[in-house]
Structure formats: structure tokens, C-alpha cells
Amino acid sequence: MRVLATRRFIGPAWDELGDVAIDSLDDAHRDVEALLVANEPIDGAVLDRFPKLRIVANFGVGYDQIDVDGCKRRGIVVTNTPGVLTDATADLTFALILAVRRRLGEGERIVRSREWTWTWSRGFLADEVAGSTLGIVGLGRIGAAVARRAQGFDMRVLFVRSTETDEQLDDLLRASDIVTLHAPLTSKTHGLIDARRLALLQDGSCLINTARGEIVDEQALVRELVSGRIQAGLDVFADEPHVPEELLGLDNVVLTPHLGSATLSAREAMTRLVVDNVLAVLRGDPPLTPV
Ligand code: DGY
């Protein structure tokens, strides 16, 4: 079998691959030339099990789990799926911003538990999104799509690119009502938002993460959230699917299970791109979206 995937990806493009073995990466696969993965760890030990491998095609834009240098040394192409999940992830970012600022999770829980006993004109007040300052950390495709949406919500937008200086990031954290993370996970961004930086956030401000959990010091974030000083909307965690126990009972955090790209059209387009990359490389053509 020339093609192996860790699971079947959704959408009609899949059938164009022909025969695909679905298996874990635990065993040796001497004939496999194309590997389709969804951000599973691909290190030297895994690559050694695939001596004929020509391409690792990742279903997802983030490829932090893949040893890209190791692949390059072996002449293996690595591809990802940029572009096609930008709107889905930017929409989810805004869903979290609105959910946190307008206390949607808390409100929903109150209605469902039949604890809603007051008339609308009393209490349960939240923060206005319009007029607030949004700080975007990482201005790639998704960060830019979030910035465009923020203009429609009459927000003031600040941003730092991942290449900018520590001082610029610190200034953005101090000045923002809402901070949203859109940097890739790399050795430079691992733990970027550490305890010192979390402490720079204004009282009552909000941190949104739809990028990668490891960009934030999760234990330090838990401490800030338990103290009630800040709010958060979190779609990603350091050790998924584990979510720190302390967060589960908090009303100042909205939690979702890594849903950034989870729309039917985004996922089908991701499969299309994975398949096109694999077929191109197996034909001997250049990949469409190499990393
Ligand atoms: C991505 O595309 O990187 C998503 O977060 C899934 O890993």
C-alpha cells in the first residue's frame, strides 16, 4: 500500500486517493510513500518505520508536532492546509470573544438549570465589545481575518507580528481589553504568554486562544482565572483533550474542544488540499502547500 492515513478525512476528495490503509503509526510500513496525519507526533522514530516515505501531508495548518527538519534531511516533503480554515478559525475566535464578554456560557447554564428567576431589567451585566481594544498576537492569515472582523464590531485593533520585540508584545498586553493569540507554536512561541506577561493584562481583560495551548503557561493562566482577575475563551489546551480541572467550574472562562477549523466546508477543503498535495508528490510534481 502506497498511502497510509491515521484516519479517514471527511469529504469527496478522499476517494481520489484510491486504496488507503488506515492504521496507527506504531508498526513498520516498508512500502508506504505518503502519510496523511492530523497533527500526530512525527519524530525520527516514526520516520524510521517508513523507509520509502516521500510526503507527510498534515490535515491542519499547524505542524508543530512534525519534525520538519528531520523530514527535510530524509528528503520527505511536509505539507499543511493553510488558507482554507482561516474564516472558520476567525469566526470561532469571534464566537469566543462574544461568548466571554456577554457571559453566554453562564447565561445558558442559568436558563438550563432553571435558575433564571429575575426580569430582564435586573442584573447580569456584561462588557460591551464595540469600542474595546483588541490586541492580536500573530498577524498571519487568521490574525488578519480576525482584525477584519474586529473592524465590523467597531473595535480598536492593535497587533504584533511574532517577529516583533518583547517590548511591543508587553505594550500590547497592557493596552488591550481583549488579547487573541494567532501565532504558530514554535520554540520561540512556546510559553510566550508566561506568568509575567499574564500579569501585564488589565484587570477584567480577556485572553482568547484558538492557536495552541502551549503558547500560554497553562498553570499560570489557571491561577489568574481562579483568582477571577481576568477572563478567557479557550479552544486549545496544553495536553488535549485534558482540560485543567480548576477551569471546569469557573464562569469567567468559556471552554471549547479545539473547534477552530470544525466547519463542514473548511474540513472538506482541508481534505481536498491534503489529497492534492499527496497526488502531486506521488506523480513527481511539486506540492501545492509545502511548509
Ligand atoms: C490546525 O489547523 O492547526 C488546527 O488547529 C488543527 O490542528
Side-chain angles (χ1 to χ4, degrees):
M1 188 74 61
R2 292 176 83 197
V3 182
L4 184 137
T6 52
R7 74 188 71 162
R8 190 192 194 289
F9 300 142
I10 191 167
W14 179 268
D15 295 333
E16 295 173 29
L17 289 171
D19 275 351
V20 181
I22 311 266
D23 206 347
S24 76
L25 306 174
D26 297 340
D27 301 320
H29 295 275
R30 306 219 67 81
D31 296 330
V32 166
E33 294 174 67
L35 189 54
L36 282 64
V37 297
N39 214 25
E40 285 92 357
I42 306 291
D43 55 16
V46 172
L47 294 174
D48 286 345
R49 291 178 209 134
F50 294 84
K52 289 204 180 143
L53 199 59
R54 294 162 67 189
I55 174 170
V56 175
N58 189 47
F59 183 76
V61 69
Y63 49 88
D64 41 276
Q65 296 269 70
I66 301 175
D67 176 2
V68 177
D69 291 338
C71 286
K72 274 196 185 133
R73 280 197 299 278
R74 291 169 156 88
I76 300 167
V77 170
V78 179
T79 61
N80 66 343
T81 59
V84 294
L85 45 70
T86 301
D87 285 328
T89 308
D91 284 353
L92 185 82
T93 302
F94 252 85
L96 286 174
I97 291 173
L98 294 168
V100 173
R101 291 314 247 185
R102 298 303 304 270
R103 301 171 65 185
L104 294 195
E106 201 183 340
E108 239 249 343
R109 284 189 290 278
I110 286 173
V111 173
R112 285 178 189 270
S113 62
R114 302 209 176 279
E115 286 168 35
W116 182 30
T117 54
W118 59 89
T119 58
W120 67 266
S121 56
R122 292 221 214 130
F124 210 75
L125 301 180
D127 299 295
E128 193 98 13
V129 168
S132 62
T133 299
L134 178 68
I136 300 177
V137 179
L139 202 73
R141 291 181 190 82
I142 298 171
V146 169
R148 287 195 295 277
R149 283 159 177 73
Q151 287 177 327
F153 278 89
D154 292 333
M155 300 173 89
R156 178 172 167 250
V157 177
L158 308 175
F159 66 87
V160 286
R161 296 191 166 84
S162 7
T163 48
E164 265 154 348
T165 64
D166 286 357
E167 290 70 30
Q168 284 166 312
L169 174 56
D170 289 0
D171 288 346
L172 174 140
L173 297 175
R174 285 191 200 95
S176 302
D177 301 302
I178 300 164
V179 172
T180 184
L181 306 179
H182 300 289
L185 176 63
T186 64
S187 53
K188 276 176 110 182
T189 62
H190 195 283
L192 181 73
I193 308 298
D194 58 10
R196 183 189 72 78
R197 289 213 159 102
L198 286 168
L200 299 178
L201 291 169
Q202 297 172 23
D203 289 355
S205 65
C206 165
L207 180 73
I208 303 292
N209 192 359
T210 58
R212 285 290 183 269
E214 297 93 321
I215 296 175
V216 183
D217 175 341
E218 196 166 73
Q219 281 316 306
L221 176 62
V222 166
R223 286 194 295 276
E224 289 281 7
L225 289 168
V226 168
S227 81
R229 197 183 72 78
I230 61 169
Q231 309 168 317
L234 305 176
D235 186 49
V236 289
F237 303 87
D239 180 26
E240 295 176 8
H242 170 77
V243 175
E245 191 70 29
E246 301 92 317
L247 299 182
L248 301 181
L250 296 182
D251 279 331
N252 54 336
V253 56
V254 173
L255 305 166
T256 51
H258 203 140
L259 297 179
S261 64
T263 66
L264 181 61
S265 56
R267 289 284 167 88
E268 288 193 348
M270 289 161 70
T271 302
R272 170 84 268 158
L273 205 41
V274 166
V275 170
D276 286 346
N277 275 308
V278 167
L279 295 179
V281 169
L282 292 183
R283 269 198 314 268
D285 289 338
L288 281 78
T289 50
V291 304

